[in-house]
Amino acid sequence: MVNIAVIGYGYWGPNLVRNFAATGGASVTVVCDQNQARLDEINKIYPAIRTCTSVDEVFGADDVEAVAIATPVTSHFDLALGALESGLHVLVEKPMTSTSDEAKKLIEVADAAGLTLMVDHTFVYTSAVRKIRELIDDGRLGKLHYFDSVRVNLGLFQSDVSVVWDLAVHDLSIMDHLLNRSPKSVSCTGVAHVAGQPENMAYITCMFDDDLIAHFHVNWLAPVKVRQTLICGSEQMIVYDDVDMSEKVKVYDKGIILDDDAKYQRHVGYRTGDMWAPRLDNVEALALEAQHFIECIETGATPLSDGHAGLRVIEILEAAAASMVNGGTPVSLPGNGSHR
Amino acid sequence: MVNIAVIGYGYWGPNLVRNFAATGGASVTVVCDQNQARLDEINKIYPAIRTCTSVDEVFGADDVEAVAIATPVTSHFDLALGALESGLHVLVEKPMTSTSDEAKKLIEVADAAGLTLMVDHTFVYTSAVRKIRELIDDGRLGKLHYFDSVRVNLGLFQSDVSVVWDLAVHDLSIMDHLLNRSPKSVSCTGVAHVAGQPENMAYITCMFDDDLIAHFHVNWLAPVKVRQTLICGSEQMIVYDDVDMSEKVKVYDKGIILDDDAKYQRHVGYRTGDMWAPRLDNVEALALEAQHFIECIETGATPLSDGHAGLRVIEILEAAAASMVNGGTPVSLPGNGSHR
Amino acid sequence: MVNIAVIGYGYWGPNLVRNFAATGGASVTVVCDQNQARLDEINKIYPAIRTCTSVDEVFGADDVEAVAIATPVTSHFDLALGALESGLHVLVEKPMTSTSDEAKKLIEVADAAGLTLMVDHTFVYTSAVRKIRELIDDGRLGKLHYFDSVRVNLGLFQSDVSVVWDLAVHDLSIMDHLLNRSPKSVSCTGVAHVAGQPENMAYITCMFDDDLIAHFHVNWLAPVKVRQTLICGSEQMIVYDDVDMSEKVKVYDKGIILDDDAKYQRHVGYRTGDMWAPRLDNVEALALEAQHFIECIETGATPLSDGHAGLRVIEILEAAAASMVNGGTPVSLPGNGSHR
Amino acid sequence: MVNIAVIGYGYWGPNLVRNFAATGGASVTVVCDQNQARLDEINKIYPAIRTCTSVDEVFGADDVEAVAIATPVTSHFDLALGALESGLHVLVEKPMTSTSDEAKKLIEVADAAGLTLMVDHTFVYTSAVRKIRELIDDGRLGKLHYFDSVRVNLGLFQSDVSVVWDLAVHDLSIMDHLLNRSPKSVSCTGVAHVAGQPENMAYITCMFDDDLIAHFHVNWLAPVKVRQTLICGSEQMIVYDDVDMSEKVKVYDKGIILDDDAKYQRHVGYRTGDMWAPRLDNVEALALEAQHFIECIETGATPLSDGHAGLRVIEILEAAAASMVNGGTPVSLPGNGSHR
């Protein structure tokens, strides 16, 4: 039985409490939030959970072995570091930290202490992304050509972080997980339509070796909600539409055919084929993720979304932010290969 | 009655012949193509039209006052120049020419000779784009925030021009017409997934003064056909979906509301409202365009899609191509204001 | 403050508890269910609510003024009658009772005792149906021509009632509310595809005076989920698609135009116009309904979905069931006019 | 080479001419229409085709072996009979005739003379219906449970025939082809919303042996165009959406599972699975049909849509019309089994 404390009980915290409470092998013992009103709320539902307004009561508690941190980004580093230094395993909301240096420091400390450090890249645990990962790993798509993602809606304008740190982090974590390699350059253009506020829309391009390209459109100011990702390979293509309730993942048997017999001019033919929408299971992503966190703590296994995955996403976000202030000038990255 | 010759009878030529034949005040007298088999085909349907394989027979003909050129891009300049120098009015396929210098030269020659020079930016004449233009000109959208366009499909891979010159030209001509101003910088990233072939997918960003941004995704290698443009203003937003047969243009009464009373931190509120899909007329764009060309010839009026519009589009295409070979580094443009 | 007891804590009961608990002026004092395990569950969340397994403890309680009944249909009559006879106001799940005689009896008893009797026709309180009601009452649709409803999905096969009593009850309650009149005949065809089970799909037709027709397709065995209603008038038509998250209600400005000048043969022309999707509010239907029930109790007002509405729906269900066993032979009904 | 005459050059005639002209082994020698203006039009396009205004010139011509009749329904019988009696093979538009007696007479005369009699049930030759037929014949769907079809739009109000004869004929011909058996009863309700005009909307139910049911909604007065057919079997279900350009046919691996082990109450479980949209070929239905007609003439083979198929559809139309005037009272039919 792993005893968990949840730090931060705003938008996401209640989901963490609910899922860890339902996970076999886990027990939520403490919830910490600076806002006493929120804590009162939790006690009505879970009278057995202890609440507190200071993290010191968490870090020093006898009945806490791990923390799940769901506070604003700027506090992630201090809280996660404090927890690790108190010998606690850590699950931290995305984005992992505000800077890559902070992310590296957390990885270092966790490694030295032999503690589990995991980032809450929730989408990685959805049935849709798991199915796509399976198709890619099976080689069904062939050579990967591009990853194109659109995540737009008339949503919550945030005044502390830009749309890149707020929305693109989702898609970058999905990309990192599925493509299993890192871009060698990142360019980004974005605009703030409200004076004094962070950018509310942005376009990010990631270039990889081997003619693989990834692109992201993130936007808080759109008339319609779109959550669509195209993942195109030489053999098959996937449309992942997270808004489609019945057919989230569609696999198209379409591609280019090269006519190599043509002597003087390369002729490009076309092939169109069947479409197939695989059945997806109904497991809630966060339930699976909570269980995975517990298992990693107990077995010492490396989480699917470990600190390194969190760091890689932060590095792309930093590069994108740097490119954006330079009007889209590309920023180079190491661009290494397989992470696994 | 304006006598027209159509040069090039491949994919688009038959549409020009059919529409000019049906236009009051116009008569198609000659069709010219290097391929005799195609000419034989036309004679079966239009026995009264004269055919020839050499443009000299067009430029020297007594019964030709104007030409419509529907040949590959590389031949546009020579054919249009030849026609203008023979005293003929010119309608030329998009993109107008292969370079901006060529486009400038054609404008110069047409102006000096007092001849009509028009580019076949067909989308400008569609009922959807005309309705959107009307809404923008009425000030319904408020201050323009962004123009976002996606044009992707598993289409015809061309080996002579890249997807930018083939597909983006459509969207750039629509943008030029609707926004009525020019970008001050252009960046573009693209990839060729078939060795030795031109780029088959690309992303273009145009930055304007006043925080207006435009973005284009063009792609020959996609599993699904998408033709969607978002045009967002401070008051209203438009979704223009050219694949939607019944509701191509949707106007959303959504926007941000700023709470100016907030003292220390600007609070951004939200407003959502009705959606409205205006009725569009059923006039074929090319029929309207053919008639417009005839009217401009007869009255000396400036076409909606004149040589300058054609040139502006070419300038963006050139900048995009230059940025693309530099991995997306932005290219500056003059970025002037209203064209009208 | 009205003290409420909820009887039945299966699928729907928890929603009733949650909404009445959140309604100003109401308090949930008791929850009754035969299944002790369910009652244990509720105590974890709402420790202040008393639970019991016998309705006698509800009917005889000092702190109960009204009951909300969410048990299987067959028990509705006995429970509602018992409550009314104990002087309690009643909100009962749809369908109100198993027979129209039972429904009449409940109305009679409630009237005699001056108690509020309301049926939980939830859809009547949704923002979509309230908006459509407003449009119809404003005369926007003109003369009503038809009401066509499809409610199909691969859902829960029930073994106690047919798909007509399970699904059509929703659409009949919407129709009763919107059309404000009753059919003069009902025909119904349906099939049971599993031996020994009730009908799992059915088609119902209601004929009204004045060439108004209503039709319902209800089906437990379909590959896709459809919840679409067309409401057509002489001036405007409505598409109500309950599965569409962003535009549930669309109003089309289309209709027939009669050319009355034609002498010998009546010529029917066509008109197509704009489409308009009005903004709908986000109020949860059950929250509004709970509040309405409390207000009716306190003021003595007649509920929107009163016992008579419940009875009218039962009468159509009975007629449909009778027609279905006769292979679709129409069954006559009184077909009276306005209910309001 | 089979010489064909096309009788009737209104809406459909030009399609017949175009397709027979393009069919190897066929030649269109004569086109007949009472309207000289239409004939003038054809001569501009096909100068080699002879035209006439009297069918006598067709029936007596030396260079005509077969006729394709595309005139109003009321004239089908006389024209087809005249052609057969002149020794000509006949392809006739749907519905085949105005009455089943007429249809029987044509079959009799054609059989006696050894001539090919074929009805233009075009949908039977589409790639979508051919693919569905293949899936059904392969037994992929299991035992057939229902056929549900919706064909509605704001279309052309006809003053000579009701919507049943105009629209339902399409769906009945598809059903006849796919189900390969005939209903044992037909009921139909419909309404005419314009005084003095035929019914503009109708619902038809066909009951078959073995709990198979078919239902049709046909409507000229709808705000949106719908062409959707559900074909449900015990193993798989098909959604055929003729308006969907990219995925017309979707096959769902969903069904009911019966838990036969349950002792006292039969428990019905559920199964959901993959969806699959097979690739469809791009052959034009009418091209395939024209070729099939020629082949049947040359080989003496029975057409897929022979006179008996035409007759079966007429019999259902007659039954539906009879039921409709009786307010939906079911009409019995022989309900025989396999037609093939």
Side-chain angles (χ1 to χ4, degrees):
Chain A
M1 181 66 67
V2 178
N3 290 320
I4 308 261
V6 172
I7 303 177
Y9 198 73
Y11 167 65
W12 194 243
N15 293 326
L16 289 170
V17 171
R18 178 171 52 81
N19 276 284
F20 276 113
T23 301
S27 173
V28 180
T29 49
V30 186
V31 171
C32 175
D33 196 292
Q34 294 176 332
N35 185 327
Q36 182 62 45
R38 288 178 185 162
L39 296 177
D40 294 345
E41 213 176 294
I42 195 179
N43 272 334
K44 276 192 247 166
I45 307 179
Y46 304 98
I49 295 180
R50 196 165 76 250
T51 60
C52 61
T53 54
S54 160
V55 289
D56 295 337
E57 293 182 44
V58 173
F59 295 163
D62 287 341
D63 59 351
V64 172
E65 289 148 77
V67 296
I69 301 171
T71 58
V73 187
T74 47
S75 61
H76 285 184
F77 176 69
D78 287 343
L79 292 169
L81 187 64
L84 291 169
E85 288 177 346
S86 306
L88 305 176
H89 304 283
V90 168
L91 171 66
V92 61
E93 265 317 281
K94 77 213 154 307
M96 183 184 181
T97 51
S98 298
T99 69
S100 54
D101 284 344
E102 291 175 350
K104 285 172 190 164
K105 174 73 177 172
L106 293 184
I107 292 171
E108 201 181 287
V109 174
D111 278 358
L115 293 165
T116 296
L117 172 62
M118 177 162 150
V119 185
D120 184 7
H121 288 170
T122 322
F123 274 100
V124 159
Y125 300 90
T126 58
S127 53
V129 173
R130 284 184 290 121
K131 173 58 77 177
I132 297 171
R133 166 85 187 269
E134 186 187 314
L135 295 169
I136 291 177
D137 286 0
D138 285 356
R140 297 276 289 261
L141 271 68
K143 184 172 181 298
L144 290 178
H145 284 337
Y146 68 82
F147 182 100
D148 177 88
S149 168
V150 179
R151 182 177 297 268
V152 308
N153 64 304
L154 183 69
L156 211 56
F157 268 62
Q158 298 202 9
S159 50
D160 53 345
V161 295
S162 80
V163 72
V164 168
W165 285 80
D166 178 48
L167 292 186
V169 65
H170 293 296
D171 303 297
L172 290 170
S173 69
I174 296 171
M175 176 191 81
D176 177 77
H177 182 70
L178 292 176
L179 301 192
N180 190 27
R181 52 182 139 164
S182 295
K184 57 181 187 182
S185 86
V186 175
S187 55
C188 176
T189 46
V191 179
H193 287 114
V194 178
Q197 294 287 317
E199 289 84 358
N200 54 273
M201 65 180 291
Y203 299 98
I204 306 173
T205 308
C206 295
M207 304 295 286
F208 296 76
D209 280 319
D210 213 16
D211 293 328
L212 174 63
I213 184 172
H215 185 272
F216 306 85
H217 174 197
V218 285
N219 199 327
W220 283 332
L221 183 61
V224 284
K225 185 176 179 178
V226 182
R227 300 265 178 283
Q228 185 170 285
T229 304
L230 309 178
I231 304 166
C232 172
S234 57
E235 299 301 319
Q236 290 192 318
M237 303 186 204
I238 289 174
V239 177
Y240 162 34
D241 185 345
D242 204 43
V243 173
D244 189 324
M245 286 301 106
S246 58
E247 285 138 30
K248 269 190 202 310
V249 176
K250 295 182 183 175
V251 185
Y252 290 82
D253 202 18
K254 291 184 173 175
I256 326 168
I257 295 171
L258 297 180
D259 179 356
D260 288 320
D261 296 333
K263 285 244 170 60
Y264 297 102
Q265 192 192 329
R266 212 158 183 194
H267 183 73
V268 182
Y270 316 94
R271 172 166 50 85
T272 58
D274 294 3
M275 184 269 272
W276 168 66
R279 193 182 71 82
L280 303 178
D281 64 53
N282 286 319
V283 181
E284 186 178 349
L286 195 49
L288 202 70
E289 186 183 345
Q291 197 182 333
H292 182 58
F293 182 52
I294 299 302
E295 286 167 6
C296 289
I297 289 173
E298 290 179 336
T299 65
T302 304
L304 275 178
S305 52
D306 65 353
H308 292 280
L311 169 61
R312 289 191 301 267
V313 168
I314 300 289
E315 285 173 334
I316 301 176
L317 290 172
E318 281 183 339
S323 173
M324 189 155 57
V325 297
N326 276 315
T329 305
V331 171
S332 292
L333 284 180
N336 34 22
S338 172
H339 314 130
R340 294 190 278 264
Chain B
M1 181 64 68
V2 177
N3 290 320
I4 309 263
V6 172
I7 303 177
Y9 198 72
Y11 167 65
W12 194 244
N15 292 327
L16 290 169
V17 170
R18 179 171 53 81
N19 276 284
F20 275 113
T23 301
S27 173
V28 179
T29 49
V30 185
V31 170
C32 175
D33 196 292
Q34 293 176 331
N35 184 329
Q36 183 63 44
R38 289 177 184 162
L39 297 175
D40 293 346
E41 213 176 294
I42 195 179
N43 272 334
K44 278 192 242 167
I45 307 179
Y46 303 99
I49 294 179
R50 198 166 74 251
T51 60
C52 61
T53 54
S54 160
V55 289
D56 296 336
E57 292 183 45
V58 173
F59 295 163
D62 287 342
D63 59 351
V64 173
E65 290 149 76
V67 295
I69 300 170
T71 57
V73 187
T74 46
S75 61
H76 285 184
F77 176 68
D78 287 344
L79 291 170
L81 186 65
L84 290 169
E85 287 178 346
S86 306
L88 304 177
H89 304 283
V90 168
L91 171 67
V92 61
E93 267 316 283
K94 71 199 165 314
M96 185 184 180
T97 50
S98 298
T99 69
S100 55
D101 284 344
E102 290 174 351
K104 285 173 188 161
K105 174 74 179 172
L106 292 184
I107 292 171
E108 200 181 288
V109 173
D111 278 359
L115 292 166
T116 295
L117 172 62
M118 179 163 149
V119 185
D120 183 6
H121 289 169
T122 321
F123 274 101
V124 160
Y125 299 91
T126 58
S127 53
V129 174
R130 285 183 288 120
K131 172 58 77 177
I132 297 171
R133 165 85 188 268
E134 188 188 313
L135 295 169
I136 291 177
D137 287 359
D138 285 357
R140 298 276 290 261
L141 271 66
K143 182 169 181 302
L144 290 177
H145 284 336
Y146 68 83
F147 182 101
D148 177 87
S149 169
V150 179
R151 182 178 296 268
V152 308
N153 65 304
L154 184 68
L156 210 55
F157 268 62
Q158 298 202 8
S159 50
D160 52 346
V161 295
S162 80
V163 72
V164 169
W165 285 80
D166 177 49
L167 292 186
V169 64
H170 293 296
D171 303 297
L172 291 170
S173 70
I174 295 171
M175 176 191 82
D176 177 76
H177 183 70
L178 291 176
L179 301 191
N180 189 27
R181 51 182 137 162
S182 294
K184 57 181 186 181
S185 86
V186 175
S187 55
C188 177
T189 46
V191 178
H193 287 113
V194 180
Q197 294 287 317
E199 289 85 358
N200 54 273
M201 65 179 291
Y203 300 98
I204 306 172
T205 308
C206 295
M207 303 296 286
F208 296 77
D209 280 319
D210 214 14
D211 293 329
L212 175 62
I213 185 172
H215 185 270
F216 305 85
H217 174 198
V218 285
N219 199 327
W220 283 332
L221 182 61
V224 285
K225 185 176 178 178
V226 182
R227 300 264 178 284
Q228 184 170 285
T229 304
L230 310 178
I231 305 166
C232 172
S234 57
E235 300 301 319
Q236 291 191 319
M237 304 185 203
I238 289 173
V239 177
Y240 162 35
D241 184 345
D242 205 42
V243 172
D244 190 324
M245 286 301 106
S246 58
E247 284 137 30
K248 268 189 202 311
V249 176
K250 296 183 183 176
V251 186
Y252 290 82
D253 203 18
K254 290 184 173 174
I256 327 168
I257 295 172
L258 297 178
D259 178 355
D260 288 320
D261 296 333
K263 284 244 171 63
Y264 296 102
Q265 192 191 330
R266 213 158 183 192
H267 183 73
V268 182
Y270 316 94
R271 171 167 51 82
T272 57
D274 293 4
M275 185 271 272
W276 168 67
R279 193 182 73 83
L280 303 178
D281 64 52
N282 286 320
V283 181
E284 185 180 350
L286 194 49
L288 201 71
E289 186 183 345
Q291 197 182 334
H292 181 59
F293 181 52
I294 300 302
E295 285 167 7
C296 289
I297 290 172
E298 288 180 336
T299 66
T302 304
L304 275 178
S305 52
D306 64 354
H308 292 281
L311 170 61
R312 289 190 302 266
V313 168
I314 299 289
E315 285 172 334
I316 301 175
L317 290 172
E318 281 183 338
S323 173
M324 190 156 55
V325 297
N326 277 314
T329 305
V331 170
S332 292
L333 284 180
N336 36 22
S338 172
H339 313 129
R340 295 189 277 263
Chain C
M1 181 64 68
V2 177
N3 289 321
I4 309 263
V6 172
I7 304 177
Y9 198 72
Y11 168 65
W12 195 243
N15 293 325
L16 290 169
V17 172
R18 179 171 53 80
N19 276 283
F20 275 113
T23 302
S27 173
V28 180
T29 50
V30 186
V31 171
C32 176
D33 197 291
Q34 294 176 330
N35 185 328
Q36 182 62 45
R38 288 178 185 161
L39 296 177
D40 294 344
E41 213 176 296
I42 194 178
N43 272 335
K44 278 192 244 166
I45 308 180
Y46 303 98
I49 295 180
R50 198 166 74 251
T51 60
C52 61
T53 54
S54 159
V55 290
D56 295 335
E57 294 182 45
V58 174
F59 294 164
D62 287 342
D63 59 351
V64 172
E65 288 150 78
V67 296
I69 300 170
T71 58
V73 187
T74 47
S75 61
H76 286 184
F77 176 68
D78 287 342
L79 291 170
L81 188 64
L84 291 169
E85 287 177 347
S86 306
L88 305 176
H89 305 282
V90 169
L91 171 66
V92 61
E93 266 316 283
K94 78 205 155 313
M96 184 183 180
T97 50
S98 297
T99 69
S100 54
D101 284 343
E102 291 174 348
K104 284 172 189 162
K105 174 73 178 172
L106 292 184
I107 292 171
E108 202 181 287
V109 173
D111 278 359
L115 293 165
T116 296
L117 174 61
M118 179 162 149
V119 186
D120 184 6
H121 288 170
T122 321
F123 273 100
V124 159
Y125 301 90
T126 58
S127 53
V129 173
R130 285 184 288 120
K131 172 59 76 177
I132 297 170
R133 166 85 187 268
E134 187 188 315
L135 294 170
I136 291 176
D137 286 359
D138 285 356
R140 298 276 291 261
L141 271 67
K143 184 172 181 300
L144 290 177
H145 284 337
Y146 67 84
F147 181 100
D148 177 88
S149 169
V150 179
R151 182 177 297 269
V152 308
N153 64 304
L154 183 69
L156 212 56
F157 267 62
Q158 299 201 9
S159 51
D160 52 345
V161 296
S162 80
V163 72
V164 169
W165 285 80
D166 177 50
L167 293 187
V169 65
H170 292 296
D171 303 297
L172 290 170
S173 70
I174 295 171
M175 177 191 81
D176 178 77
H177 183 70
L178 292 176
L179 301 190
N180 190 27
R181 53 181 137 163
S182 295
K184 58 182 186 181
S185 86
V186 175
S187 55
C188 175
T189 46
V191 178
H193 288 113
V194 180
Q197 294 286 316
E199 290 84 358
N200 54 273
M201 64 179 292
Y203 300 98
I204 306 172
T205 308
C206 295
M207 304 295 287
F208 296 78
D209 279 320
D210 214 15
D211 293 329
L212 175 63
I213 184 172
H215 185 270
F216 306 85
H217 174 198
V218 285
N219 199 327
W220 283 331
L221 183 60
V224 285
K225 185 175 179 178
V226 181
R227 300 266 178 282
Q228 184 171 284
T229 305
L230 309 178
I231 305 166
C232 172
S234 57
E235 300 300 319
Q236 291 191 319
M237 303 186 203
I238 289 174
V239 177
Y240 163 34
D241 184 346
D242 205 41
V243 172
D244 190 325
M245 286 301 106
S246 58
E247 285 137 30
K248 269 190 201 311
V249 176
K250 296 183 183 177
V251 186
Y252 290 82
D253 202 18
K254 292 184 173 175
I256 326 169
I257 295 171
L258 297 179
D259 178 356
D260 287 321
D261 295 335
K263 283 243 171 62
Y264 295 103
Q265 191 191 329
R266 213 157 183 195
H267 183 73
V268 182
Y270 315 94
R271 172 167 51 82
T272 57
D274 294 4
M275 185 271 271
W276 167 67
R279 192 181 73 81
L280 303 178
D281 64 53
N282 286 320
V283 181
E284 186 179 350
L286 194 49
L288 201 71
E289 187 183 345
Q291 196 181 335
H292 182 58
F293 181 52
I294 300 302
E295 284 167 7
C296 289
I297 290 172
E298 289 179 335
T299 66
T302 304
L304 276 178
S305 53
D306 65 352
H308 292 280
L311 170 60
R312 289 191 302 266
V313 168
I314 300 289
E315 285 173 335
I316 301 175
L317 290 172
E318 282 183 337
S323 174
M324 189 155 56
V325 298
N326 277 314
T329 305
V331 170
S332 291
L333 284 179
N336 35 22
S338 172
H339 313 129
R340 294 189 278 263
Chain D
M1 180 65 67
V2 178
N3 290 320
I4 309 263
V6 172
I7 304 177
Y9 198 73
Y11 167 65
W12 195 243
N15 293 326
L16 290 170
V17 171
R18 178 170 54 79
N19 276 283
F20 275 113
T23 301
S27 173
V28 180
T29 49
V30 185
V31 171
C32 175
D33 196 292
Q34 292 177 332
N35 185 327
Q36 183 62 46
R38 288 177 185 163
L39 296 177
D40 293 346
E41 213 177 295
I42 195 180
N43 272 334
K44 277 192 245 166
I45 306 179
Y46 303 98
I49 295 179
R50 197 165 76 251
T51 60
C52 61
T53 55
S54 160
V55 289
D56 295 336
E57 293 184 43
V58 173
F59 295 162
D62 288 342
D63 58 352
V64 172
E65 289 149 77
V67 297
I69 301 171
T71 59
V73 186
T74 47
S75 60
H76 285 184
F77 176 69
D78 286 344
L79 291 169
L81 187 64
L84 290 169
E85 289 177 347
S86 306
L88 305 177
H89 305 283
V90 168
L91 171 67
V92 62
E93 266 316 282
K94 77 210 154 309
M96 184 185 182
T97 51
S98 299
T99 69
S100 53
D101 284 344
E102 290 174 351
K104 285 172 189 162
K105 174 74 177 170
L106 293 184
I107 291 170
E108 200 180 288
V109 173
D111 278 358
L115 292 166
T116 296
L117 173 61
M118 177 163 151
V119 185
D120 183 6
H121 288 169
T122 321
F123 274 100
V124 159
Y125 300 91
T126 58
S127 52
V129 174
R130 284 184 288 121
K131 172 59 76 178
I132 297 170
R133 166 83 188 269
E134 186 187 315
L135 295 169
I136 291 176
D137 286 0
D138 285 356
R140 298 276 290 260
L141 272 68
K143 184 171 180 299
L144 290 177
H145 283 338
Y146 67 83
F147 182 100
D148 177 87
S149 168
V150 179
R151 182 177 297 268
V152 308
N153 63 305
L154 183 69
L156 209 57
F157 268 62
Q158 298 202 7
S159 51
D160 52 345
V161 295
S162 79
V163 71
V164 169
W165 285 80
D166 178 48
L167 292 187
V169 65
H170 293 295
D171 303 297
L172 290 170
S173 70
I174 295 171
M175 176 191 80
D176 177 77
H177 182 70
L178 291 176
L179 301 191
N180 190 28
R181 52 182 138 164
S182 295
K184 58 183 186 180
S185 87
V186 175
S187 55
C188 176
T189 47
V191 178
H193 289 114
V194 179
Q197 295 287 317
E199 290 83 359
N200 54 272
M201 66 180 290
Y203 300 98
I204 306 172
T205 307
C206 295
M207 303 296 287
F208 295 76
D209 279 320
D210 213 16
D211 293 328
L212 174 63
I213 184 171
H215 184 271
F216 306 85
H217 174 199
V218 286
N219 198 328
W220 283 332
L221 183 61
V224 285
K225 186 176 179 178
V226 182
R227 300 265 177 284
Q228 185 170 285
T229 304
L230 308 178
I231 304 166
C232 172
S234 57
E235 299 301 319
Q236 291 192 317
M237 303 186 203
I238 289 174
V239 176
Y240 162 34
D241 184 345
D242 205 42
V243 172
D244 189 325
M245 286 301 106
S246 58
E247 286 137 30
K248 268 190 203 312
V249 176
K250 295 183 184 175
V251 186
Y252 290 81
D253 202 17
K254 291 184 174 176
I256 326 169
I257 295 172
L258 297 179
D259 178 356
D260 287 320
D261 296 333
K263 284 243 173 61
Y264 297 102
Q265 193 192 326
R266 214 161 181 191
H267 182 72
V268 183
Y270 315 94
R271 173 166 50 82
T272 57
D274 294 3
M275 185 270 272
W276 167 66
R279 194 182 70 83
L280 304 177
D281 64 52
N282 286 320
V283 181
E284 187 179 349
L286 195 48
L288 201 69
E289 187 182 344
Q291 197 182 333
H292 182 59
F293 182 52
I294 299 302
E295 285 167 6
C296 290
I297 290 173
E298 290 180 336
T299 65
T302 303
L304 275 178
S305 52
D306 66 352
H308 292 280
L311 169 60
R312 289 191 301 265
V313 168
I314 300 288
E315 284 173 335
I316 301 176
L317 290 172
E318 281 183 337
S323 174
M324 189 155 57
V325 298
N326 276 315
T329 305
V331 171
S332 292
L333 285 179
N336 33 23
S338 172
H339 313 128
R340 294 190 278 263

